[in-house]
Amino acid sequence: MIEIDDPADPRLDDFRDLSTADRRPDRPGGRGLVIAEGVVVVERLLASPYPVRALLGVRRRVEALGDLPAPAYVTSAEVMAEVVGFHLNRGVLAAADRAPQPDLAALVASSRRLAVLEGVGDHENLGSLFRNAAALGVDGVLLGPGCSDPLYRRSVRVSMGHVLRVPFASVPDLPGGLDLLRRNGFTVAALTPRADAVGLADAGLRGRRVAVMLGSEGPGLTEGAIAAADVAVRIPMAGGVDSLNVATAAAIAFYAIA
Amino acid sequence: MIEIDDPADPRLDDFRDLSTADRRPDRPGGRGLVIAEGVVVVERLLASPYPVRALLGVRRRVEALGDLPAPAYVTSAEVMAEVVGFHLNRGVLAAADRAPQPDLAALVASSRRLAVLEGVGDHENLGSLFRNAAALGVDGVLLGPGCSDPLYRRSVRVSMGHVLRVPFASVPDLPGGLDLLRRNGFTVAALTPRADAVGLADAGLRGRRVAVMLGSEGPGLTEGAIAAADVAVRIPMAGGVDSLNVATAAAIAFYAIA
């Protein structure tokens, strides 16, 4: 634990201006760091394969974490707020480098239940979906075209750190990438509110190797993705209600196939 | 439609300083107005029993609403932001007075599926829960001790306006209030992560009159509430994951009893 009082100290650069300087590698100037906020999420980061670079927090929060694999900078809430750029009521942060994600083929081969996402670009929805996947026993998440980065800071936070536990891999080609799933014995179930889809409970998915395919909250899955699935399934909805949030719909589907 | 250019115009007072001057009647100075934001939610307000007092928006959004039962003040996005106190990207607001909620006994008697909440104080969780209740055919929500006001602005927004459609009533006494449910033939199912609870799918709830009782995300239901239920049910969870968000857990339970 290293005490720091100067918010300009370069050792704190990993944590600087978090709200404006996004860390995604696809943003100009971004460095692709993974940022964890709060004791629970930092603990999940510490238990993950992501190599932790540094921690920053108030003494009480840092001490709650036990043994640490990286330097922990201890300061006041005021200095933290100045470094980070906003007031953090969680009191501790950790920064890590990215770790290689599993190979797509290996992830598919080792999984029994998967989520396949198309166009899920909202960071909060994506984070919530990973939390639900972790809670409900989904083995991995495949990210199709139009999905955002699950390691974006807000996704990490909303997922309660479960983006660091649930493996994910990109599937640049959808629906072409579904062939890999079928070769591994998966039934691909497209979740859609369409009236001609089969009720989720009536599709005979329980106990099988299932990949649930989900689209973004507004437009949903593309026609091509639905057509390429083995079955289109729907959650029975009450009249007049357009749709559930995508992470909530995913949770119901994950429950139904568990 | 009435054009207004002056942000200080007193006809806009219903919409003033929304982020700081909360409108709940339990706040000092609050007037208990219901505020709807965005075309979709404003449309649900217009279709609800809540008496609309006024609308405020940019011309394009107001025109999208069709016939209106109250004056619509049309102005620029800049004047709107000045009145409201922050930039609104939804472009239209409506303010309504509260309407009487249904009598508890009448709501219970006329319902087949209910949610009973204890200590759900987070406005976003409460709003999401109403959205899920509406989508999944829950007839009403009973608000036990420690619940927040579903008509708080953020809850209205997160619910997509469904707090204006799904009836709710207060149950000041829990678990005492469960007697009313049982006299009406309801099975009261307490949702809890406890290991000795029955799996949700194995509790025989489908097709019965069921009230799902849910607690707040952190502490969950009190021991007294769980003990007073007819059955304690759990959502099977993967190891190492503490719990789902309460609105998500509710959605799974609503799906399971539908």
Side-chain angles (χ1 to χ4, degrees), chain B residues 163-239:
Chain B
V163 292
L164 309 170
R165 282 178 85 234
V166 177
F168 57 87
S170 288
V171 192
D173 174 27
L174 271 186
L178 301 181
D179 289 345
L180 173 68
L181 290 165
R182 268 185 289 254
R183 283 201 304 277
N184 281 271
F186 276 88
T187 300
V188 179
L191 194 67
T192 166
R194 285 197 338 198
D196 61 347
V198 182
L200 184 55
D202 305 321
L205 298 176
R206 204 176 278 264
R208 282 157 75 177
R209 279 183 103 169
V210 176
V212 177
M213 189 160 51
L214 298 129
S216 69
E217 194 164 340
L221 287 169
T222 57
E223 289 296 321
I226 296 172
D230 297 305
V231 59
V233 293
R234 66 181 170 76
I235 297 167
M237 300 268 187

Side-chain angles (χ1 to χ4, degrees), chain A residues 103-114:
Chain A
D103 172 66
L104 174 63
L107 177 57
V108 169
S110 65
S111 297
R112 279 198 60 78
R113 284 184 288 271
L114 290 167

Side-chain angles (χ1 to χ4, degrees), chain B residues 82-96:
Chain B
E82 204 168 326
V83 172
V84 170
F86 53 92
H87 177 73
L88 265 166
N89 52 19
R90 289 179 184 78
V92 64
L93 293 164

Side-chain angles (χ1 to χ4, degrees), chain A residues 44 125-137 155 157-163 165-166 247 254, chain B residues 125 217 237 241-246 248:
Chain A
R44 293 214 166 102
N125 284 345
L126 193 62
S128 297
L129 196 150
F130 269 83
R131 181 181 177 186
N132 297 342
L136 296 160
S155 298
R157 186 179 69 229
V158 172
S159 82
M160 303 283 281
H162 290 299
V163 293
R165 283 178 85 234
V166 177
F254 299 159
Chain B
N125 284 345
E217 194 164 340
M237 300 268 187
V241 178
D242 34 10
S243 77
L244 294 163
N245 169 286
V246 63
T248 306

Side-chain angles (χ1 to χ4, degrees), chain A residues 17-30:
Chain A
D17 298 329
L18 290 186
S19 62
T20 51
D22 188 78
R23 306 282 163 169
R24 285 182 297 168
D26 54 337
R27 283 265 181 106

Side-chain angles (χ1 to χ4, degrees), chain A residues 87-107:
Chain A
H87 177 73
L88 263 167
N89 52 19
R90 291 180 181 76
V92 65
L93 293 164
D97 287 312
R98 293 186 176 231
Q101 290 300 321
D103 172 66
L104 174 63
L107 177 57

